[in-house]
Amino acid sequence: MLKLLEAIFAGRIQTEDIDTVGSKQFRGELNCNTAQCDKCGECLKVCPVSAITINEYSRPIIDYKKCVFCGRCVEACTGCALYHSNLEALPEILANSSVDVGRVIDKKTGRSLHVRHLDAGSCNACDFEMGALSNPLYDLHRFGISFVASPRHADVVMVTGVVTRNLEKAVHMTYEAMEDPKVVIAVGACAAGGATYGETYAIVGALDKVLPVDIFIPGCPPRPSAMIVALLAAADLYLERSKIIVDK
């Protein structure tokens, strides 16, 4: 800890810019070079979560709610048309919400935004990435956003994991305990798409089967910087719903 503090004061550790391009090794957005695609359909066959569909032009379409970024489709692509970029697949506000997601949102709510994290049945990968939000690199508190222990104090709920039947009631109770307006974020492929574990007697599925989801964050797990973008979008959405007028 002492060495970490020394590095911070010496300026060797800088807070990450959320608009920073990922590293070359990072598996980000999937792209298809349509000129090279030979329409073989191999990508569709090897996807373990059925995140790929074929459009009317026989081109692959990626459902980022389900995608776990395993890279099997890229490896199977015979024409080398599919490839990962090093840009994150950014969070998306769903169609029933009226605010567009930008990489940086400058509006403020006039006070702190309070977030409740709820594990509905995760493997803890998303939870570990979420824990990194408070470290010196990501420094979530610079945006006036903090996690709270009770849903009664929360404006936003971030749910990780596919919803299990044992925790379905807890998810409902958490949501009902929050005051209006409230924003729901599905974190990672399990909560967003629900296809990671499939359908079993013990699993309800994706979060939108239980709650009205406003924002989903792609990834397995998503990076902390993607979560920050989603939380800034949630702040903007909260502003819209509470009809607060803020000067730019």
Side-chain angles (χ1 to χ4, degrees):
M1 177 60 75
L2 192 56
K3 289 183 179 180
L4 178 61
L5 291 173
E6 288 175 352
I8 293 171
F9 291 134
R12 294 200 300 271
I13 295 180
Q14 296 182 355
T15 304
E16 182 177 275
D17 182 352
I18 61 169
D19 199 29
T20 301
V21 175
S23 67
K24 291 182 179 179
Q25 293 78 24
F26 173 64
R27 285 180 182 170
E29 287 180 330
L30 274 164
N31 296 297
C32 180
N33 186 339
T34 55
Q36 292 181 246
C37 180
D38 57 10
K39 305 178 183 179
C40 66
E42 288 300 317
C43 55
L44 184 68
K45 297 175 185 176
V46 299
C47 181
V49 291
S50 302
I52 301 177
T53 54
I54 302 299
N55 66 12
E56 63 272 24
Y57 305 106
S58 301
R59 307 295 186 190
I61 302 296
I62 312 299
D63 183 353
Y64 283 114
K65 282 186 180 181
K66 298 180 179 179
C67 182
V68 295
F69 299 86
C70 63
R72 292 184 184 179
C73 56
V74 175
E75 294 172 1
C77 183
T78 56
C80 299
L82 272 175
Y83 63 94
H84 284 284
S85 76
N86 62 345
L87 294 174
E88 290 176 321
L90 289 180
E92 295 184 20
I93 290 185
L94 302 187
N96 60 346
S97 302
S98 60
V99 185
D100 293 329
V101 178
R103 281 191 175 269
V104 180
I105 298 174
D106 295 324
K107 293 179 182 178
K108 301 294 181 181
T109 61
R111 62 174 181 80
S112 298
L113 189 75
H114 301 103
V115 182
R116 170 64 175 166
H117 166 226
L118 178 63
D119 182 345
S122 77
C123 68
N124 292 134
C126 293
D127 308 62
F128 281 121
E129 293 297 306
M130 194 179 294
L133 290 173
S134 298
N135 71 24
L137 182 62
Y138 295 102
D139 189 17
L140 183 67
H141 299 113
R142 62 186 154 135
F143 300 107
I145 300 171
S146 58
F147 283 89
V148 293
S150 170
R152 299 187 187 279
H153 302 156
D155 308 306
V156 178
V157 60
M158 294 182 73
V159 181
T160 57
V162 65
V163 181
T164 63
R165 299 200 185 278
N166 284 343
L167 288 170
E168 182 181 8
K169 185 177 180 180
V171 172
H172 279 294
M173 291 175 67
T174 298
Y175 183 77
E176 293 300 324
M178 296 169 65
E179 293 289 337
D180 289 324
K182 42 197 170 188
V183 179
V184 179
I185 302 177
V187 182
C190 291
T196 315
Y197 291 97
E199 297 182 4
T200 74
Y201 70 95
I203 293 173
V204 176
L207 182 61
D208 61 8
K209 292 184 177 180
V210 182
L211 297 182
V213 176
D214 298 299
I215 302 172
F216 73 86
I217 311 177
C220 183
R223 299 207 312 164
S225 51
M227 295 184 194
I228 289 176
V229 173
L231 285 167
L232 292 177
D236 204 46
L237 183 55
Y238 182 86
L239 234 174
E240 288 279 322
R241 289 184 175 174
S242 56
K243 302 185 184 303
I244 298 173
I245 300 175
V246 177
D247 292 331
K248 292 184 178 180

